[in-house]
């Protein structure tokens, strides 16, 4: 690679339409990549990464190869050094990162930073291009390294393999990705509610509780709602009930979307929110209120919290007549293609 060439790597964020807290047990999700992006523009640099951020006061300076990404300061740089450590590269880059995603807003700003970093490092090191799945798997492990949060594959795989105009049905066990077209007259909105950090949330407790439930009834992705009653512990039973019923809702929502039956689709979104709130307990009062307001708006098919929860965004699916003016800050998002080099 010519050392003075500028490289631009860009990754979209994602919004999940239905299927939350199912990915890390190999379940079903139906997200889409959205037209909000994290972009790194940089030139190759030997043995170091230097990155300024439009949103962070302190720049990242780190030597390559990276030895311990968990000690990178400033902390936002860990997403970058986590990827660099896994790729074990010696050539880095010097440049800047900017984003049109809200940071810590539940729209996968961190996955987008990991993916643009991976694309950039592969380009400047002349590494063979990775497939979307390889990129996603690498970046998921980088996220584990960077934050200690044992996240599933949904965010990275969605941002890596987005398809314009479509949601993606992902089986998080087989890792098969199937695009499902979103009808032209259906609008998708995200409404930002509050910043959150999964690292300081109960996200990893939920991952542990799902693993405990699996010790009683086997893989949740294969379980039926009836078998959940065999779990004696009341809390574990509710956690499992969420996951098992959510997988079923994703399957039904996919059929409804393919048939353009948006009434059924919206109803399933509403049920998903209720289960995330009551069974999985990852919503907040503020999110519940925003979801209620959205659900009561004429023209709205359905609304729910989206992503890991404990704050972040809600997602609203509506027809083109819906008046979103009363839903403070609700913004239209479009399904787009996945992360790529743009020059
Ligand atoms: C976060 C994680 C994902 C997924 C969602 C909940 O976004 O990064 O892997 O578990 O929460 O569906």
């Amino acid at each position: 690679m010519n050392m003075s060439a500028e490289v631009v790597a860009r990754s979209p964020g994602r919004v999940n339409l239905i299927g939350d807290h199912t990915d890390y047990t190999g379940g079903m999700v139906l997200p889409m990549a959205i037209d909000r992006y994290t972009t790194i523009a940089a030139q190759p640099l030997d043995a170091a990464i230097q990155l300024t951020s439009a949103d962070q006061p302190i720049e990242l300076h780190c030597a390559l190869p990276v030895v311990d990404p968990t000690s990178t300061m400033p902390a936002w740089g860990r997403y970058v050094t986590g990827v660099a450590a896994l790729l074990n590269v010696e050539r880095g880059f010097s440049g800047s990162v900017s984003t049109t995603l809200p940071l810590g807003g539940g729209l996968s700003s961190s996955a987008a930073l990991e993916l643009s970093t991976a694309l950039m490092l592969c380009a400047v090191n002349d590494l063979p291009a990775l497939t979307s799945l390889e990129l996603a798997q690498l970046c998921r492990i980088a996220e584990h390294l960077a934050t200690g949060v044992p996240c599933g594959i949904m965010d990275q795989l969605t941002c890596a393999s987005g398809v314009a105009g479509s949601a993606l049905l992902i089986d998080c066990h087989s890792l098969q990705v199937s695009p499902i077209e979103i009808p032209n007259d259906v609008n998708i909105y995200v409404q930002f509610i509050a910043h959150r950090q999964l690292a300081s949330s109960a996200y990893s407790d939920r991952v542990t509780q799902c693993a405990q439930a699996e010790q009683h009834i086997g893989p949740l992705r294969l379980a039926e709602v009836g078998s959940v009653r065999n779990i004696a512990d009341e809390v574990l039973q509710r956690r499992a009930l969420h996951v098992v019923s959510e997988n079923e809702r994703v399957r039904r929502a996919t059929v409804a979307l393919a048939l353009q039956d948006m009434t059924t689709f919206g109803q399933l979104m509403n049920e998903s929110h209720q289960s995330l709130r009551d069974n999985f307990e990852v919503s907040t009062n503020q999110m519940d209120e925003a979801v209620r307001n959205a659900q009561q708006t004429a023209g709205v098919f359905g609304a729910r919290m989206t992503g890991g929860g404990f704050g972040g965004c809600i997602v609203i699916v509506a027809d083109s007549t819906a008046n979103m003016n009363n839903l403070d800050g609700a913004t239209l998002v479009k399904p787009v293609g996945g992360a790529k080099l743009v020059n």
Side-chain angles (χ1 to χ4, degrees), residues 148-150 198-199 201-210 310:
V149 175
L198 286 184
S201 76
Y203 183 94
S204 39
D205 291 348
R206 296 297 185 273
V207 175
T208 306
Q209 289 169 335
C210 287
F310 309 104

Side-chain angles (χ1 to χ4, degrees), residues 165 180-188 256-262 318:
I180 313 287
E181 231 174 281
I182 297 182
N184 279 336
D185 54 356
V186 168
N187 288 334
I188 296 165
L257 184 61
L259 295 175
Q260 307 201 356
D261 173 3
M262 298 316 293

Side-chain angles (χ1 to χ4, degrees), residues 14 16 19-24 151-155 198 203 307-308:
R14 67 97 188 91
N16 190 15
D20 272 311
H21 288 275
T22 51
D23 62 347
Y24 48 81
C151 67
I153 191 87
M154 169 172 70
D155 301 352
L198 286 184
Y203 183 94

Side-chain angles (χ1 to χ4, degrees), residues 187-191 290 293-295 297-303 314-332:
N187 288 334
I188 296 165
Y189 299 86
V190 294
Q191 188 181 6
N293 285 339
Q295 289 172 346
T297 301
V300 167
F301 296 115
I314 70 165
V315 58
I316 304 161
V317 175
D319 68 21
S320 47
T321 69
N323 177 357
M324 306 305 279
N325 289 342
N326 292 335
L327 304 177
D328 195 22
T331 52
L332 188 67

Side-chain angles (χ1 to χ4, degrees), residues 38 40 49-61 69 72-82 93 95-98 103 110 113-114 117 146-147 197:
T38 294
I40 300 180
I49 294 177
Q50 293 177 357
L51 192 60
T52 61
S53 161
D55 301 284
Q56 302 285 351
I58 304 180
E59 293 178 17
L60 171 67
H61 286 266
T72 298
M73 292 303 280
W76 69 267
R78 291 177 195 169
Y79 299 109
V80 175
T81 54
F93 53 86
S96 61
V97 59
S98 60
L103 299 177
S110 56
L113 177 54
E114 291 148 11
T117 302
T147 62
Q197 268 207 321

Side-chain angles (χ1 to χ4, degrees), residues 27-66:
M28 309 300 291
V29 296
L30 188 64
M32 64 187 212
I34 58 173
D35 56 347
R36 303 288 189 280
Y37 301 92
T38 294
T39 308
I40 300 180
Q43 291 177 328
L45 177 70
D46 268 330
I49 294 177
Q50 293 177 357
L51 192 60
T52 61
S53 161
D55 301 284
Q56 302 285 351
I58 304 180
E59 293 178 17
L60 171 67
H61 286 266
C62 80
L64 294 179
V66 170

